[in-house]
Amino acid sequence: MDDHSGHVGTVEESAVTTSAELLSLKDGGVFLVADSQGDIVGAADGMFDNDTRILSQFVFLVGDVKPAPLSHGLSKDNAVFTCHGANRTLPPVGERNTPRGVVHIERKRTLWRGRMFERIRCTNFGLDEVMLPISFDYAADFADMFEVRGVKRPARGQLFPTDTDGRRAVFGYQGLDGETRRSALVFSEPPWRMTTHRADFMFSLPSEGRLDLHIEAGQLVDEVPSAERFAAAVSGARRAIVERRRRGAGLVCSDHAFAAWIEQSRADISLLTTDLETGAYPFAGIPWFSTPFGRDGILTSWQMLWLDPSLAKGVLTYLAKRQATAMSRFQDSEPGKIMHETRKGEMAALGEVPFGLYYGGVDTTPLFVALAGAYLQRTDDVALIDAIWPAVCKAMAWIETYGDSNGDGLIDYQRGAESGLTNQGWKDSEDSVFHADGRLPQGPVALVEVQGYAYAAYRAMAQMAERLAEDDPEVWNRKAEVLRERVEERFWMAEHGYYGIAIDGEGELCATETSNAGHLLFSGLPDMHRAGQVIRRLRSPDFDSGWGLRTVAVGASRYNPMSYHNGSVWPHDTSLCIAGMARYGERLGPVKLLDDLLQASQTFNLRMPELFCGFAREMGEPPIAYPVACVPQAWAAASVFLILQACLGINISAARREVRLIRPMLPMGVEGLTLQGIEIGDARVSLSLRRHEGGVSVTPEAGSDRSIAVVLQS
């Protein structure tokens, strides 16, 4: 995902890199990241509660070595982690020697109500009794998330000595913010030896015998781990995810590979979605971004809007309540601006980083307004728009009052303090905006896609004002047209048939070809002729890697397919460009790119990462992973749904009680697709789409509300 707060302080590479595959579980504000055998070693992994690492080491040993791995993975619903292993040769006890591979070891783990529940099951398949030595190394450093990412602090609080009581290790930390943080690790059986950092067990396991050891970690509770508590936790975690996945319309597909990708993507969205007081909110990604982000929440919910409007409702409500009310250079805030990021850790509380409530995103405010308009069209939920209308109006006031800092009519940014983000669009790494010769621009910087978002915001204001009978809609339409003409005049590069990425503080165009221009198509700003030129360029080999669209065209001065933003492939970015193509009638490109991403997803176990390298596709070779990408990541997981919408050409208007499909095309290899239970106001409709020689047929399923018009437009 976007680099967000990644450029605060000095980030050491070792702090954010791990050689092991990391697997994640999440429940509310708590998440756990461990390696493929379930161990936490204290690098980029751990158990985190509200941006604080409450378990920094948890290593399971059998005979003082890690078990030999057999297999591992997450359940399809992302609720349960399971690892299978076997003993290595055990040290002799008396004259008895236990060879390798006699004892099967299963680790099964879930998160529920902010606690880790784990069961270690050992089964002896040997002919002889086994004396089985089991140990756990553990620690809790209470490191702030930004410390884990490598930011150096001038001082830390005080760690308390670990307290043990025979089956429990209690960890504590007194933060510089005055908060006392505690966590505990508890075993169902008392170990024969327990120290401040290690628990040792010795079990006698008869032939064909089995034993279960239950462990819990998290906030202090009095209960002792048990089989009943573990079963209840697994059931509760799965039930919560099922309830989240039932929201919105369902998709049933005839193609196994595509159906599996849809299933995994839906599961990842469910995992990352947290039910807050304001409604459902998709947290951005694990491990670095398991918190509400403005831009990410808006775009993820927009990608899912046609299927599940509840995400957009939750995002809009949450962000409206956290709109800036004052000016702060440290927080990059002005009245009316929409939040970029929020954190709850010690460093944020102390102001060591500005991200407790940070507004350093230039695009989040216009995207907020534009999403509100898209949500109204999809749902006709006038009550929600009326409730957030004051926030919407304040957001537009920010665009018109503070968004243009130098009076040139364009929305721009320049950070207020050195601790803030240098670049404040979605490509927010330090070198992601540059001139054709590689120079970095001086601020304030006006990004091309942000002008598109502002254009969409003006159009949305006209739509909402008309529906709410609040203002003259044409005022907003005229402002949109003025901005459109300004963008066409200042960003268009006639010699390239493309738009430059930005205009710097000197008024000079950064004449670099990037995927940012594809977001203009998503906003609907260009005319048909220029949109066609942009689409052709995006589909050229300089952008199209064969696995998705690169963020920067091959040949640009800072192009690097291994970089974070300058030549890599970001699935969400590709999805917005594809949606933009579809807006202008393109269907073949979206279908081809959807198939490319499907095949790429198979390399990543159907779980789309935040990004991957932008090397050109080679026959018989997989895409190349970006080593520290967030997985799972919300807007990457949601990309398939926006691209599928683009392929189907589907648009839903609740006010007109209409589902319109414009020249729909099914994904490659998919002969049939069923959309189940699309909610339109108080009605539901299900559609069956089938491929035939002349195109795609669309048929309402039995039980669909007949008051909903289904329009197939060729």
Side-chain angles (χ1 to χ4, degrees), residues 455-507:
Y455 172 84
Y458 282 125
R459 293 295 192 197
M461 284 298 292
Q463 170 199 350
M464 290 185 287
E466 182 176 14
R467 186 70 181 88
L468 271 61
E470 286 286 344
D471 296 300
D472 177 9
E474 286 308 308
V475 170
W476 301 110
N477 284 327
R478 286 193 293 272
K479 290 181 177 182
E481 184 60 21
V482 169
L483 179 58
R484 189 193 70 79
E485 292 176 357
R486 189 171 290 125
V487 171
E488 295 285 33
E489 176 186 352
R490 301 199 59 187
F491 286 88
W492 182 251
M493 302 182 295
E495 66 278 17
H496 297 279
Y498 206 73
Y499 294 93
I501 184 176
I503 292 175
D504 69 10
E506 301 298 320

Side-chain angles (χ1 to χ4, degrees), residues 412-661:
D412 57 44
Y413 66 87
Q414 186 164 353
R415 68 179 177 183
E418 290 297 312
S419 57
L421 296 175
T422 303
N423 285 316
Q424 298 188 356
W426 84 262
K427 295 177 181 176
D428 58 4
S429 50
E430 293 176 351
D431 63 347
S432 61
V433 182
F434 53 95
H435 285 281
D437 60 4
R439 286 179 295 119
L440 299 180
Q442 297 298 311
V445 174
L447 291 167
V448 65
E449 78 275 16
V450 175
Q451 316 314 312
Y453 302 154
Y455 172 84
Y458 282 125
R459 293 295 192 197
M461 284 298 292
Q463 170 199 350
M464 290 185 287
E466 182 176 14
R467 186 70 181 88
L468 271 61
E470 286 286 344
D471 296 300
D472 177 9
E474 286 308 308
V475 170
W476 301 110
N477 284 327
R478 286 193 293 272
K479 290 181 177 182
E481 184 60 21
V482 169
L483 179 58
R484 189 193 70 79
E485 292 176 357
R486 189 171 290 125
V487 171
E488 295 285 33
E489 176 186 352
R490 301 199 59 187
F491 286 88
W492 182 251
M493 302 182 295
E495 66 278 17
H496 297 279
Y498 206 73
Y499 294 93
I501 184 176
I503 292 175
D504 69 10
E506 301 298 320
E508 182 182 356
L509 178 66
C510 297
T512 305
E513 294 179 288
T514 67
S515 61
N516 300 55
H519 296 216
L520 274 190
L521 305 181
F522 176 73
S523 301
L525 184 147
D527 62 29
M528 287 295 296
H529 177 67
R530 286 187 175 178
Q533 294 183 73
V534 172
I535 291 170
R536 285 190 293 275
R537 185 69 179 127
L538 286 172
R539 295 197 61 193
S540 73
D542 285 347
F543 274 107
D544 189 349
S545 71
W547 299 115
L549 300 178
R550 299 182 181 93
T551 51
V552 171
V554 174
S557 59
R558 289 180 178 265
Y559 168 74
N560 179 353
M562 301 177 291
S563 70
Y564 196 60
H565 282 132
N566 293 340
S568 53
V569 173
W570 287 64
H572 93 278
D573 175 51
T574 294
S575 78
L576 291 172
C577 292
I578 290 172
M581 294 179 189
R583 182 172 188 140
Y584 287 86
E586 174 70 24
R587 290 290 180 273
L588 292 176
V591 169
K592 183 264 183 190
L593 285 162
L594 178 59
D595 188 62
D596 291 345
L597 284 171
L598 167 62
Q599 294 182 52
S601 75
Q602 293 167 351
T603 296
F604 305 114
N605 297 317
L606 300 178
R607 199 172 222 184
M608 290 307 297
E610 174 187 18
L611 73 157
F612 50 90
C613 293
F615 292 103
R617 184 170 182 169
E618 298 285 346
M619 184 175 294
E621 297 183 10
I624 298 171
Y626 187 83
V628 291
C630 275
V631 181
Q633 209 266 359
W635 65 16
S639 295
V640 58
F641 302 105
L642 183 62
I643 300 172
L644 180 59
Q645 181 184 14
C647 293
L648 300 179
I650 187 168
N651 290 285
I652 301 169
S653 171
R656 293 197 302 267
R657 299 183 71 79
E658 174 188 276
V659 180
R660 182 177 295 269
L661 297 97

Side-chain angles (χ1 to χ4, degrees), residues 89-101:
T89 302
L90 295 176
V93 178
E95 296 181 357
R96 183 178 302 157
N97 184 47
T98 302
R100 176 189 179 106

Side-chain angles (χ1 to χ4, degrees), residues 28-42:
V30 176
F31 69 92
L32 188 151
V33 181
D35 68 20
S36 59
Q37 289 188 268
D39 289 332
I40 296 169
V41 299

Side-chain angles (χ1 to χ4, degrees), residues 153-168:
R153 299 184 65 188
R156 293 197 82 234
Q158 180 183 2
L159 281 171
F160 300 148
T162 302
D163 185 26
T164 61
D165 67 358
R167 71 166 79 235
R168 183 189 318 259

